[in-house]
């Protein structure tokens, strides 16, 4: 009986992690391990995609305004400046709170780009998702929207693409007419989307005397929502000191009622009487900023009354993201 010849296995080519392409979760991993992608190199990729970045806009000019436009402001635009300059055929890049039919981005007929901010993202890093959408919009055919997708785990972030020295100056709009340069010739879908968006928009105004403070009007009362860059614990201590001392309001009939948490920052919220408009709180807000700066500079332990005030503010804190 003839002996069986020993079987030899061909040596599989070895790939480095950087060379492993992304494939379907149930497909064999391209590294040659014999395991499914999701159980091999897909694990690290999935973790990188889903890991939550607490402050996705940290390091960008106007971080507080980025948070406000993402979570609080219905209709606003900002002209963005790219670190490497605009590509040929792209006259401008504009950040917009919302785009028609919730498109992640739009390359207009003239080649300009609109980047939507208030969209669902596939990963835990909004900055990386937005950067991926922006890069694809810059290369899209004029007149086409850009669809969302999962950004590559090692792709660039907005901090890599935008000029860190350029100003970030939001322009708040009363409606969404900025969507279309020629509303009369818009498609029926865009027109319907525009009408729905305008009907749902809450009147909002950005204060001029302080940073990232937004007045808004609601049927029952008005509000001031102010995104602040200070560390949360330090800010809550300072607000508690002012609240206990009766110095946390913005004038007669106004009241500090609590705060939001959003993208790693704290957003104190004041209730305002219905007759108090944005111009009416400009001076009180500037005066409050001075009081807050003094309270932030204090490191004396909180008194019992201040601790109670802090507890009340903490209990009225809502996390948006």
């Amino acid at each position: 009986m003839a002996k069986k010849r020993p079987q030899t296995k061909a040596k599989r080519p070895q790939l480095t992690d950087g060379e492993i392409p992304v494939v379907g979760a149930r497909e064999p991993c391209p590294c040659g391990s014999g395991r499914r992608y999701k159980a091999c190199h897909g694990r690290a990729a999935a973790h990188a995609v889903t890991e939550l970045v607490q402050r996705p806009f940290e390091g960008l000019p106007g971080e507080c305004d980025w948070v406000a436009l993402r979570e609080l402001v219905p209709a606003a635009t900002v002209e963005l400046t790219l670190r490497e300059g605009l590509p040929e055929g792209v006259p401008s890049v504009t950040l917009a709170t919302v785009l028609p039919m919730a498109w992640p981005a739009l390359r207009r007929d003239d080649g300009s780009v609109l980047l939507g901010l208030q969209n669902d993202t596939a990963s835990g890093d909004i900055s990386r998702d937005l950067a991926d959408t922006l890069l694809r919009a810059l290369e899209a055919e004029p007149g086409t929207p850009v669809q969302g997708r999962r950004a590559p785990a090692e792709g660039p972030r907005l901090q890599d693409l935008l000029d860190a020295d350029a100003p970030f100056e939001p322009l708040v709009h009363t409606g969404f007419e900025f969507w279309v340069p020629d509303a009369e010739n818009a498609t029926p879908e865009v027109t319907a989307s525009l009408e729905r968006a305008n009907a749902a928009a809450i009147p909002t105004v950005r204060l001029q005397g302080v940073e990232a403070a937004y007045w808004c009007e609601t049927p029952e009362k008005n509000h001031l929502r102010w995104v602040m860059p200070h560390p949360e614990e330090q800010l809550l201590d300072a607000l508690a000191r002012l609240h206990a001392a009766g110095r946390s309001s913005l004038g007669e009939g106004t009241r500090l009622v609590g705060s939001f948490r959003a993208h790693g920052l704290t957003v104190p919220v004041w209730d305002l009487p219905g007759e108090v408009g944005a111009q009416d709180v400009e001076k009180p807000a500037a005066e409050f900023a001075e009081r807050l700066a003094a309270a932030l500079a204090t490191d004396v332990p909180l008194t019992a009354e201040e601790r109670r005030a802090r507890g009340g503010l903490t209990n009225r804190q809502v996390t948006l993201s």
Side-chain angles (χ1 to χ4, degrees):
M1 190 173 185
K3 291 183 179 180
K4 291 184 178 180
R5 299 180 60 183
Q7 294 183 349
T8 59
K9 294 183 178 180
K11 188 176 181 181
R12 297 179 183 273
Q14 298 298 309
L15 301 178
T16 65
D17 286 352
E19 296 173 328
I20 305 297
V22 176
V23 298
R26 296 181 178 274
E27 296 179 35
C29 187
C31 76
S33 67
R35 291 182 293 173
R36 290 179 178 178
Y37 178 71
K38 70 175 184 179
C40 192
H41 280 82
R43 283 182 175 178
H47 178 73
V49 168
T50 58
E51 186 176 6
L52 179 64
V53 176
Q54 296 290 341
R55 288 180 63 178
F57 306 117
E58 185 176 14
L60 290 173
E63 179 188 7
C64 294
D65 281 307
W66 277 92
V67 172
L69 268 56
R70 167 76 182 185
E71 299 294 339
L72 306 174
V73 181
T77 55
V78 186
E79 295 299 314
L80 298 180
T81 303
L82 304 187
R83 178 175 293 182
E84 302 298 330
L86 293 170
E88 184 177 357
V90 180
S92 64
V93 174
T94 303
L95 180 73
T97 48
V98 181
L99 293 180
M101 292 167 281
W103 288 328
L106 171 65
R107 182 87 186 270
R108 281 177 160 164
D109 291 335
D110 65 356
S112 61
V113 168
L114 289 177
L115 177 66
L117 182 57
Q118 295 180 14
N119 291 303
D120 292 335
T121 55
S123 81
D125 187 353
I126 298 171
S127 179
R128 197 180 307 280
D129 289 328
L130 288 171
D132 178 69
T133 301
L134 173 57
L135 288 176
R136 291 186 292 122
L138 293 173
E139 297 179 350
E141 290 294 324
T144 60
V146 175
Q147 302 302 326
R149 73 170 188 182
R150 187 181 76 179
E154 300 301 323
R157 307 177 73 235
L158 287 173
Q159 289 82 345
D160 302 314
L161 301 182
L162 301 183
D163 185 349
D165 296 323
F168 189 82
E169 300 175 346
L171 177 61
V172 179
H173 303 273
T174 57
F176 294 88
E177 281 71 22
F178 63 86
W179 281 354
V180 283
D182 185 7
E184 293 183 357
N185 295 321
T187 65
E189 292 84 359
V190 171
T191 299
S193 183
L194 179 62
E195 291 176 352
R196 289 194 300 269
N198 282 342
I202 296 174
T204 301
V205 177
R206 183 177 186 266
L207 299 194
Q208 299 300 309
V210 295
E211 295 294 325
Y214 290 81
W215 171 95
C216 67
E217 178 184 4
T218 62
E220 295 183 358
K221 62 183 70 174
N222 299 338
H223 305 279
L224 184 73
R225 301 178 291 189
W226 191 342
V227 186
M228 296 187 173
H230 318 292
E232 181 180 347
E233 297 302 314
Q234 182 186 6
L235 177 58
L236 288 174
D237 281 353
L239 292 173
R241 295 181 196 279
L242 296 175
H243 203 58
R247 306 182 69 206
S248 64
S249 76
L250 299 175
E252 184 177 356
T254 70
R255 185 167 66 99
L256 175 64
V257 293
S259 62
F260 297 130
R261 284 195 194 99
H263 306 293
L265 299 183
T266 304
V267 189
V269 178
W270 284 262
D271 278 352
L272 311 173
E275 66 273 12
V276 174
Q279 290 296 324
D280 299 322
V281 291
E282 285 280 6
K283 182 178 178 181
E287 294 171 345
F288 177 84
E290 295 179 359
R291 298 197 299 273
L292 180 63
L296 287 167
T298 302
D299 56 5
V300 177
L302 297 179
T303 66
E305 186 177 359
E306 289 168 346
R307 287 197 300 272
R308 285 193 294 271
R310 193 186 195 282
L313 291 173
T314 302
N315 290 337
R316 297 191 298 274
Q317 197 169 41
V318 177
T319 300
L320 299 181
S321 59

